[in-house]
């Protein structure tokens, strides 16, 4: 390859100026690339900071809501526990009353039943229930 006629016919100072501009342009390009490479870590750190801030902004309301839901769940568990205790007491009372009615029914329809005998048995049941009720009230588990 032979140099073009225009390149050899240009004045020497133009060739030198073009060479200097090429070197300076190349140097500034290399400097720009070096700056970008050097600041790449800084850009990554800034991006990580921004992502962390955004995540914390989103997570904080969720943490508050989870705390509220945990408190509500605990309150619901306590209400459930109280309801179960009340149900157990009501079931025990109902079972006891059913047994009492069965006894009284048997007394009333017994072959040799008398009014005096039925009244006496009912009084005895009430007296027994009164003693049991007082024992329960004393232990804190009785019904009103």
């Amino acid at each position: 390859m032979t140099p073009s006629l225009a390149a050899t016919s240009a004045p020497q100072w133009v060739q030198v100026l073009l060479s200097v501009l090429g070197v300076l342009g190349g140097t500034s390009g290399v400097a720009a690339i070096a700056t970008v490479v050097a600041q790449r870590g800084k850009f990554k750190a800034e991006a990580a900071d921004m992502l962390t801030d955004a995540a914390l902004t989103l997570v904080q309301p969720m943490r508050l809501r989870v705390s509220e839901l945990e408190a509500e769940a605990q309150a619901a568990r306590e209400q459930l526990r109280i309801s179960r205790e009340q149900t157990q007491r009501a079931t025990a009372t109902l079972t006891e009353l059913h047994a009492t009615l069965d006894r009284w029914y048997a007394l009333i329809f017994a072959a040799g039943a008398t009014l005096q005998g039925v009244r006496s048995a009912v009084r005895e049941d009430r007296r027994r229930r009164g003693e049991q009720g007082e024992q329960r009230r004393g232990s804190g588990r009785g019904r009103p």
Side-chain angles (χ1 to χ4, degrees):
M1 293 210 29
T2 58
S4 71
L5 192 53
T8 54
S9 64
Q12 184 69 26
W13 67 270
V14 172
Q15 288 179 0
V16 171
L17 180 68
L18 288 174
S19 295
V20 169
L21 286 176
V23 168
L24 288 176
T27 304
S28 65
V30 170
I33 291 172
T35 302
V36 168
V37 169
Q39 290 185 352
R40 197 170 101 200
K42 181 181 173 184
F43 293 146
K44 284 183 180 179
E46 287 176 359
D49 286 344
M50 288 189 331
L51 287 174
T52 302
D53 290 344
L56 288 175
T57 301
L58 294 173
V59 167
Q60 190 59 29
M62 289 180 4
R63 283 183 180 167
L64 292 173
R65 184 64 180 141
V66 166
S67 295
E68 290 171 357
L69 291 173
E70 286 174 346
E72 288 177 16
Q74 185 60 35
R77 285 186 199 106
E78 182 61 20
Q79 288 177 346
L80 179 61
R81 184 189 65 75
I82 291 169
S83 295
R84 283 181 178 162
E85 288 176 359
Q86 290 173 342
T87 301
Q88 288 173 348
R89 284 194 302 267
T91 300
T93 301
L94 183 61
T95 301
E96 184 181 327
L97 290 173
H98 191 270
T100 301
L101 285 175
D102 285 345
R103 277 193 312 273
W104 290 357
Y105 181 83
L107 283 172
I108 292 169
F109 289 102
T114 64
L115 184 58
Q116 189 61 29
V118 171
R119 285 181 179 163
S120 174
V122 168
R123 266 193 299 266
E124 182 63 26
D125 272 352
R126 284 185 173 172
R127 185 188 61 76
R128 208 174 316 129
R129 274 186 51 100
E131 289 173 2
Q132 290 174 354
E134 286 181 22
Q135 288 174 356
R136 281 193 203 129
R137 281 195 244 2
S139 67
R141 295 192 63 215
R143 345 174 248 109

